[in-house]
Amino acid sequence: MAVTQVHQQDVVDMLLVQHNEINALFNRVATAQGEQKRELFHDLVRLLAVHESAEEQIVHPAARKALPDGEVVVDQRLREESDAKRALADLYDLGVDHPEFDMRLRVFAESVIEHATHEENEEFLYLRQNLDPEKLRKMAKVFEIAEKVAPTRPHPGAGESAAANMLAGPPIAMFDRIRDAIRDRS
């Protein structure tokens, strides 16, 4: 019996797929109306919060070590993520029915897409070229685990470091997931 080798997705593949999903969700939220817009926005908030938390725990520390100028590159990405958490929390508080929501969402989307482009060109490309493929596949598995215990809302005051996410993330995530369940039941 022949054994078939299954190609496991590596962390860079996973992140690129998520960046595309985020971009698509921005477009869907921008064109939706009413309850559909609200639901799509909640999906976007959840995806961004979980994605950034897992990146901060798994990807940025690896990039900080692997890139020749890792400290500078990762510190810039973390500043952008901190700004994004504040902007996303403000959008969430504003609500999709607010007259300024669409304009603020467009500005936010542009900054998130620019941030993702920097990650793809400055971190992901370098990680793909310089880390062993097996290490990148293992990082994908750990990334998936980190996503399962990540908060589903932005928490700008919680910090952007791997340590902050590991310490504060699980209790905040539990609270977020209970709040999500209550909201979804209503």
Side-chain angles (χ1 to χ4, degrees):
M1 177 199 290
V3 176
T4 309
Q5 179 116 14
V6 178
H7 170 72
Q8 291 180 327
Q9 192 176 39
D10 71 27
V11 73
V12 173
D13 293 332
M14 183 181 295
L15 291 163
L16 293 172
V17 166
Q18 287 186 357
H19 282 183
N20 288 334
E21 289 174 10
I22 290 165
N23 192 28
L25 263 174
F26 272 123
N27 292 328
R28 291 181 66 201
V29 171
T31 59
Q33 299 291 319
E35 190 57 33
Q36 182 186 28
K37 184 177 199 126
R38 190 173 343 284
E39 287 302 316
L40 288 169
F41 180 64
H42 286 298
D43 291 345
L44 177 65
V45 168
R46 192 174 300 121
L47 178 57
L48 284 169
V50 167
H51 173 85
E52 291 304 333
S53 177
E55 261 187 354
E56 290 165 4
Q57 290 178 59
I58 309 307
V59 179
H60 294 326
R64 189 180 294 277
K65 289 179 187 172
L67 273 70
D69 56 348
E71 291 289 325
V72 173
V73 170
V74 171
D75 287 348
Q76 181 60 36
R77 297 299 75 79
L78 292 174
R79 279 190 294 278
E80 293 165 0
E81 288 168 10
S82 178
D83 293 345
K85 285 179 187 176
R86 278 192 285 286
L88 186 58
D90 290 346
L91 270 172
Y92 187 84
D93 291 343
L94 193 65
V96 298
D97 296 324
H98 193 279
E100 291 183 19
F101 179 84
D102 289 331
M103 183 268 307
R104 287 189 183 186
L105 180 70
R106 271 191 303 279
V107 171
F108 178 64
E110 289 171 7
S111 70
V112 168
I113 291 165
E114 182 179 340
H115 166 79
T117 301
H118 284 294
E119 285 180 334
E120 292 167 12
N121 294 332
E122 296 171 11
E123 287 183 74
F124 303 171
L125 185 64
Y126 192 88
L127 291 173
R128 166 77 44 77
Q129 292 172 345
N130 293 287
L131 291 185
D132 177 64
E134 182 58 26
K135 169 120 173 119
L136 293 173
R137 284 191 291 277
K138 286 179 181 176
M139 285 175 66
K141 291 176 185 173
V142 177
F143 189 88
E144 287 177 327
I145 293 166
E147 286 184 313
K148 289 180 175 145
V149 295
T152 61
R153 299 277 183 277
H155 296 279
E160 285 72 40
S161 72
N165 275 285
M166 286 184 214
L167 291 173
I172 293 171
M174 186 181 310
F175 175 77
D176 285 351
R177 290 168 198 272
I178 291 168
R179 190 169 63 176
D180 291 346
I182 292 168
R183 188 198 82 233
D184 291 345
R185 282 188 74 203
S186 305

